[in-house]
């Protein structure tokens, strides 16, 4: 008979036991469940609700259970539904009636809220460290080729010259916002729900502050009904994870393009690619493609969680058990991404000559001509028009922009000076972009230095 079986006269039907169990996925919460129970039991004794001797026995037995689980010497089965029941029933098996005191003043509804918050607090901290690692790999990869130039794209069309390092640092910025989002979510996770009971607190004189301090939370929840019903913190974390996955998926798409024969800007290390079972010549960027695919699953988790909560009346409803499947999957997926990407980025080889050759397309410097005209006092819209006419003239004459003579250029750009013919040098074009946040050699070097310093400081924290 289940631990809650007092008012029942029939066993749960076997399909229903399979249907309702959560032990197959919530067993990963065992450490946090035990930590929560230890704090709760200490508090119960401190408040005189249970004898000190019972508390000591229970705590010692919880430690033994923890050890047994870690050694694989603990039997899990669907008869006991979830991780809470497994641990409580192991306590009762070992200690008899003394073990049965553990659940005083507690419900599985506030217990699961506590376990999830403890677990996600740990995981979120690890995620932040993982995001920092990813940033570090990007910064170092960028720094190793700090002067490599390439075409930058808009609409996937050649736009203007950029530094390869500037492109990678764009992802470092995205990941920085991701880390900040996680740190902010952590504030909402880090709230202690125990003492909310099933929904209405408890008649027992529990000390919630005692439990909060023991478990290192910054605050306690202020409304017992909210505390057992709330999954905002899970949804918020899933949304952070979805954005991280999206950023990584976007980077993956860049890498996939860059290692295609058409671009040929990079080569990913063999360890991150696979071959074709049919075509002997193939080396495919599967890791990147899988990231695009896995990102879809992370979005699925976010959608599932939002949908899970939207129609629930207060307070706890069993639907909420499904939250764990979604958030665990999203978490595992993003953790896997964060393990695979830093070494893939670090080992990626860049083909500087190919990048340089593509960046030498003089069309990339058309805007530089227009801005030169602005410097000479021509209103920008007219400058734009003149350079556009020049581009058209070159197309009609079957030449590149840098193949026209000064006289030919003056047919469409009357203000052109000999200096205009020098504007087609891609390094010079990149070098002139000195604004903060720009792709010039100086601002990019400054950003690289700043990121190294910042990430080293994060490391020390
Ligand atoms: N396994 C449940 C969950 O994950 C724990 C809480 C169950 N509470 C209940 N009254 N059935 O949400």
């Amino acid at each position: 008979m289940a631990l809650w079986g007092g008012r029942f006269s029939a066993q749960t039907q076997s399909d229903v036991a399979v249907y309702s169990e959560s032990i197959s996925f919530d067993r990963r919460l065992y450490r946090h469940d035990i930590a929560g129970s230890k704090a709760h039991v200490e508090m119960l004794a401190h408040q005189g609700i249970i004898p000190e001797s019972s508390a000591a026995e229970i705590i010692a037995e919880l430690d033994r259970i923890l050890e047994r689980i870690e050694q694989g010497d603990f039997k899990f089965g669907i008869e006991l539904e979830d991780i809470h029941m497994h641990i409580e029933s192991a306590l009762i098996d070992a200690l008899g009636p003394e073990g049965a005191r553990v659940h005083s003043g507690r419900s599985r509804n506030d217990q699961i809220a506590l376990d999830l918050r403890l677990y996600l607090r740990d995981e979120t901290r690890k995620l932040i460290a993982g995001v920092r690692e990813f940033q570090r790999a990007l910064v170092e990869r960028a720094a190793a080729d700090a002067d490599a130039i390439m075409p930058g794209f808009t609409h996937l069309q050649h736009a203007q010259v950029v530094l390869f390092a500037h492109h990678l640092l764009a992802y470092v910025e995205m990941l920085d916002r991701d880390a900040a989002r996680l740190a902010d979510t952590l504030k909402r996770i880090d709230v202690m729900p125990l003492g909310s009971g099933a929904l209405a607190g408890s008649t027992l004189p529990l000390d919630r502050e005692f439990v909060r301090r023991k478990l290192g939370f910054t605050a306690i929840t202020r409304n017992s009904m909210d505390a057992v019903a709330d999954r905002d913190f899970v949804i918020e974390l899933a949304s952070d994870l979805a954005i991280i996955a999206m950023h990584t998926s976007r980077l993956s798409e860049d890498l996939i393009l860059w290692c295609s024969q058409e671009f040929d800007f990079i080569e990913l290390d063999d360890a991150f690619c696979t071959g074709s079972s049919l075509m002997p010549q193939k080396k495919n960027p599967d890791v990147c493609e899988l990231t695009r695919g896995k990102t879809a699953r992370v979005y699925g988790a976010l959608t599932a969680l939002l949908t899970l909560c939207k129609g629930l009346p207060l307070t706890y409803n069993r639907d909420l058990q499904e939250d764990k499947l979604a958030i665990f999957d999203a978490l595992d997926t993003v953790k896997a991404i964060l393990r695979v990407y830093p070494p893939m980025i670090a080992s990626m080889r860049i083909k500087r000559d190919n990048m340089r050759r593509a960046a030498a397309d003089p069309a990339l410097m058309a805007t530089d001509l227009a801005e030169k005209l602005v410097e000479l006092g021509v209103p920008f819209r007219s400058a734009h028009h003149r350079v556009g006419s020049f581009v058209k003239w070159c197309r009609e004459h079957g030449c590149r922009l840098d193949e026209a003579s000064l006289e030919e250029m003056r047919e469409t750009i009357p203000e052109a000076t000999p200096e205009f013919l020098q504007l087609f040098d891609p390094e010079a074009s990149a070098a002139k972009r000195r604004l903060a946040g720009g792709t010039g050699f100086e601002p990019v070097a400054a950003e690289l230095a700043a990121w190294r310093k910042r990430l080293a400081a994060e490391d020390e924290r």
Side-chain angles (χ1 to χ4, degrees):
M1 194 53 93
L3 289 178
W4 40 253
R7 61 101 68 214
F8 283 76
S9 46
Q11 296 279 342
T12 311
Q13 202 229 334
S14 66
D15 283 339
V16 172
V18 173
Y19 197 68
S20 51
E21 66 88 20
S22 57
I23 191 61
S24 57
F25 52 90
D26 69 12
R27 55 192 277 183
R28 72 162 77 188
L29 299 173
Y30 70 91
R31 253 187 303 119
H32 302 89
D33 194 80
I34 288 173
S37 288
K38 284 169 72 174
H40 180 65
V41 164
E42 260 185 76
M43 179 276 291
L44 291 175
H46 183 259
Q47 296 298 96
I49 299 168
I50 68 171
E52 288 284 355
S53 58
S54 313
E57 265 189 76
I58 292 173
I59 287 168
E61 189 53 36
L62 284 170
D63 283 334
R64 269 192 292 277
I65 293 171
L66 178 65
E67 226 177 274
R68 276 171 54 206
I69 295 177
E70 305 221 297
Q71 264 144 39
D73 177 27
F74 188 91
K75 195 177 153 294
F76 291 101
I78 60 163
E79 324 75 62
L80 288 172
E81 245 180 77
D82 58 24
I83 187 62
H84 323 303
M85 292 301 200
H86 273 74
I87 291 170
E88 188 178 342
S89 101
L91 264 183
I92 295 171
D93 285 348
L95 306 177
E98 289 309 307
R101 294 184 191 279
V102 66
H103 210 50
S104 320
R106 190 176 69 176
S107 154
R108 278 189 292 161
N109 298 354
D110 58 351
Q111 189 178 3
I112 187 59
L114 175 71
D115 289 10
L116 208 47
R117 286 172 178 277
L118 282 170
Y119 173 75
L120 294 181
R121 190 174 67 173
D122 278 354
E123 292 299 313
T124 303
R125 287 177 182 147
K126 283 188 232 162
L127 281 170
I128 294 173
V131 170
R132 296 298 181 206
E133 261 324 295
F134 195 176
Q135 287 183 297
R136 233 168 256 129
L138 286 162
V139 168
E140 290 314 314
R141 190 65 200 76
D145 284 284
D147 56 349
I149 58 171
M150 62 186 288
F153 296 81
T154 62
H155 313 270
L156 199 56
Q157 306 281 319
H158 275 190
Q160 294 180 310
V161 176
V162 297
L163 299 196
F164 165 72
H166 196 53
H167 194 127
L168 288 196
L169 286 179
Y171 287 101
V172 175
E173 295 288 337
M174 297 176 219
L175 289 168
D176 203 52
R177 295 192 293 273
D178 291 336
R181 260 185 289 275
L182 288 169
D184 205 59
T185 300
L186 200 47
K187 293 184 210 155
R188 255 95 50 202
I189 294 177
D190 193 16
V191 186
M192 208 292 294
L194 221 59
S196 302
L199 77 162
S202 175
T203 58
L204 296 169
L206 308 177
D207 184 345
R208 301 191 62 209
E209 273 299 321
F210 182 102
V211 177
R212 179 192 71 74
R213 273 196 309 278
K214 277 278 155 207
L215 295 172
F217 280 101
T218 32
I220 58 172
T221 53
R222 311 304 312 180
N223 181 303
S224 63
M225 295 179 77
D226 176 45
V228 294
D230 167 36
R231 292 295 182 273
D232 297 8
F233 62 102
V234 182
I235 296 173
E236 219 181 308
L237 181 59
S239 139
D240 298 347
L241 293 169
I243 297 174
I244 295 173
M246 178 273 289
H247 284 151
T248 321
S249 181
R250 233 174 143 167
L251 170 63
S252 301
E253 180 58 20
D254 276 339
L255 299 179
I256 290 167
L257 286 171
W258 290 353
C259 65
S260 71
Q261 286 72 26
E262 281 65 28
F263 281 76
D264 203 18
F265 287 174
I266 61 164
E267 184 174 1
L268 295 172
D269 191 81
D270 283 0
F272 300 91
C273 296
T274 56
S276 157
S277 58
L278 176 73
M279 297 168 281
Q281 86 284 10
K282 295 276 278 181
K283 175 173 163 183
N284 299 326
D286 294 46
V287 166
C288 297
E289 295 167 43
L290 281 166
T291 303
R292 281 190 316 212
K294 287 172 190 289
T295 296
R297 250 177 55 228
V298 178
Y299 290 2
L302 174 60
T303 308
L305 286 164
L306 285 165
T307 313
L308 181 67
C309 293
K310 82 174 179 59
L312 293 186
L314 289 187
T315 55
Y316 180 84
N317 297 271
R318 191 63 179 272
D319 319 40
L320 290 175
Q321 175 166 296
E322 298 274 322
D323 64 350
K324 282 168 283 303
L325 287 163
I327 193 66
F328 291 168
D329 186 54
L331 204 49
D332 292 347
T333 305
V334 171
K335 278 163 74 182
I337 292 176
L338 293 176
R339 271 194 303 274
V340 172
Y341 273 67
M344 184 171 79
I345 296 298
S347 61
M348 152 178 117
R349 193 170 72 77
I350 82 160
K351 302 184 175 176
R352 298 176 51 118
D353 294 346
N354 292 353
M355 287 182 176
R356 168 75 178 66
R357 200 171 310 121
D361 171 5
L364 288 160
M365 272 58 83
T367 316
D368 297 40
L369 297 189
E371 288 182 350
K372 191 64 173 172
L373 286 171
V374 169
E375 275 178 33
L376 297 177
V378 179
F380 179 74
R381 200 40 67 200
S382 318
H384 186 284
H385 191 80
R386 280 178 208 164
V387 177
S389 307
F390 174 57
V391 170
K392 186 163 166 242
W393 185 94
C394 292
R395 284 178 55 91
E396 284 166 1
H397 291 77
C399 69
R400 290 162 39 123
L401 304 197
D402 57 349
E403 287 167 350
S405 67
L406 186 57
E407 287 65 43
E408 289 168 336
M409 193 186 272
R410 280 182 174 153
E411 288 186 25
T412 47
I413 311 176
E415 298 84 353
T417 63
E419 214 191 324
F420 276 60
L421 302 179
Q422 312 304 310
L423 293 176
F424 297 110
D425 174 28
E427 271 83 11
S429 172
K432 276 195 308 244
R433 297 167 193 284
R434 290 197 191 84
L435 297 183
T439 192
F441 296 105
E442 289 153 39
V444 169
E447 284 305 308
L448 283 171
W451 275 117
R452 277 179 157 164
K453 210 167 134 197
R454 245 200 83 191
L455 291 170
E458 290 291 344
D459 224 12
E460 268 161 38
R461 293 209 306 159

